[in-house]
Amino acid sequence: MTDDRKMVEETVRSTLVDMLGLSAARVAEFDGATPLFGAIPELDSMAVATLLTELEDRLGITIDDDDVDIEAFESFGGLVAFAARKALG
Amino acid sequence: MAGENCLRFSPPDGTTRAHILFLPPLFDEGNRLRRTLVLTMRALAGLGIESHLPDLPGQNDSAVATSAVTLDDWRGAVVQFAAQMPRPFITAAWRGGTLIDDAATGAVGHWRMAPVAGASILKTMVRTRIASEREAGRTLGAQDVRALAKQHGHVELAGNRLSLTMFDGLEQAHIADVEPLRIVTAADMTGSALWLRAEPGEDAGMANIMARDLADWAVQCAAG
């Protein structure tokens, strides 16, 4: 994994820690297959709105809402891949 | 503003070293942080600092409808809150509160946590509306949301009815330069961004550390 990709992944982790009120240790155990949207009750479509804006602010990116597919949020790996695509091209 | 509630915590008589005007985050973020802010106010009283947490018109327990207020109304309210503050005082603002803290005329200092642009606050609220429309099987774009505000004079966003003036005001709101200024993050206060929590939480440890940091800064600013 490149440093840039690792930075994106760590940003996604820290944002989830803040949003879900989970411990950093617990979120550190998330892997690509860890289910998110649909599996974590707190992470509903309203929370996804917060998550998108927070990722924009923390990663310095702009996300076009038309480009958001909720399937990208179904697993931790999907979310990191989505954020990395936006941040790193 | 006349008629708005203000929560105040004072130290025992004769021991007040400085005063702080609290300007909480706006909308839902304010609700999520409120409990921890009040814990901070209690801790501040124990440190000899009097703090005031007024309701902005249209927020918290205000009798004014959210749809009836504009960003300029909030700035005007801050001018009035500041005029009523005992001297010397500083402002402490979190998130969206930092968009209006410069209106506190007479403040001898400012303290900010995690400032956020008005456009970011608005964007999250617009996204929430888009998401709920999508769940109802309707497709709505960000531009459509503003068009709705223009058409009706107001728009419902994440449980808040915003006027077109407020919508545009937030879109353009920026954080003013003020001084003396101390800016901190939640992590600096050994806490986390409680205003983002999907399920509201509280953090007494963070409140105690914020209170100490605020007290030190208030006393330092009051000493000039």
Side-chain angles (χ1 to χ4, degrees):
Chain A
M1 198 186 315
T2 66
D3 286 352
D4 284 347
R5 168 93 184 191
K6 196 158 183 61
M7 182 277 291
V8 170
E9 184 175 321
E10 286 314 307
T11 303
V12 173
R13 276 188 210 278
S14 67
T15 307
L16 289 173
V17 166
D18 284 342
M19 287 192 55
L20 303 177
L22 300 174
S23 70
R26 165 106 190 268
V27 175
E29 288 171 4
F30 283 10
D31 62 25
T34 302
L36 297 179
F37 189 81
I40 298 179
E42 294 88 348
L43 197 61
D44 57 16
S45 57
M46 305 301 159
V48 167
T50 304
L51 179 60
L52 287 173
T53 308
E54 199 60 24
L55 287 176
E56 283 184 325
D57 286 352
R58 295 189 188 193
L59 292 169
I61 57 175
T62 304
I63 298 170
D64 182 352
D65 286 81
D66 297 336
D67 200 20
V68 177
D69 187 346
I70 210 68
E71 283 173 16
F73 299 86
E74 284 176 356
S75 69
F76 181 71
L79 178 56
V80 171
F82 172 81
R85 200 162 63 243
K86 295 292 166 191
L88 310 174
Chain B
M1 187 165 277
E4 296 301 348
N5 285 336
C6 180
L7 195 58
R8 187 182 72 200
F9 285 90
S10 306
D13 284 346
T15 61
T16 303
R17 299 190 293 162
H19 310 84
I20 304 180
L21 172 60
F22 273 43
L23 297 167
L26 306 174
F27 307 110
D28 270 3
E29 290 193 348
N31 299 335
R32 295 184 200 132
L33 194 62
R34 188 170 178 92
R35 169 87 189 158
T36 299
L37 291 187
V38 175
L39 290 174
T40 306
M41 295 174 80
R42 289 182 191 278
L44 277 167
L47 296 169
I49 307 290
E50 179 177 298
S51 55
H52 296 221
L53 173 60
D55 283 348
L56 288 167
Q59 297 281 281
N60 201 45
D61 290 329
S62 173
V64 179
T66 309
S67 58
V69 297
T70 66
L71 205 58
D72 282 342
D73 291 336
W74 283 350
R75 300 185 68 81
V78 173
V79 171
Q80 291 188 33
F81 297 148
Q84 290 159 11
M85 283 299 290
R87 265 55 178 169
F89 80 97
I90 66 164
T91 64
W94 288 258
R95 302 288 284 167
T98 63
L99 298 168
I100 50 177
D101 63 350
D102 58 299
T105 312
V108 294
H110 302 270
W111 185 99
R112 289 172 173 170
M113 179 178 278
V116 63
S120 287
I121 297 172
L122 186 67
K123 202 163 185 183
T124 299
M125 295 170 83
V126 167
R127 283 185 162 139
T128 305
R129 172 70 190 257
I130 292 171
S132 63
E133 292 289 335
R134 197 174 284 177
E135 283 179 351
R138 292 186 291 265
T139 306
L140 200 71
Q143 281 307 314
D144 303 326
V145 175
R146 190 183 179 281
L148 278 175
K150 198 171 177 188
Q151 183 186 341
H152 301 290
H154 58 77
V155 66
E156 201 81 31
L157 297 182
N160 300 281
R161 182 174 284 193
L162 301 193
S163 67
L164 179 63
T165 314
M166 177 65 97
F167 190 100
D168 289 342
L170 281 173
E171 180 77 56
Q172 288 146 24
H174 66 282
I175 299 153
D177 291 333
V178 289
E179 62 175 26
L181 168 65
R182 175 166 165 73
I183 302 183
V184 301
T185 64
D188 292 339
M189 303 289 118
T190 71
S192 66
L194 290 170
W195 51 85
L196 297 178
R197 283 283 175 88
E199 293 293 329
E202 63 182 89
D203 187 339
M206 180 185 179
N208 284 327
I209 290 167
M210 275 201 291
R212 276 200 292 277
D213 196 84
L214 280 164
D216 288 348
W217 182 240
V219 167
Q220 193 181 323
C221 292

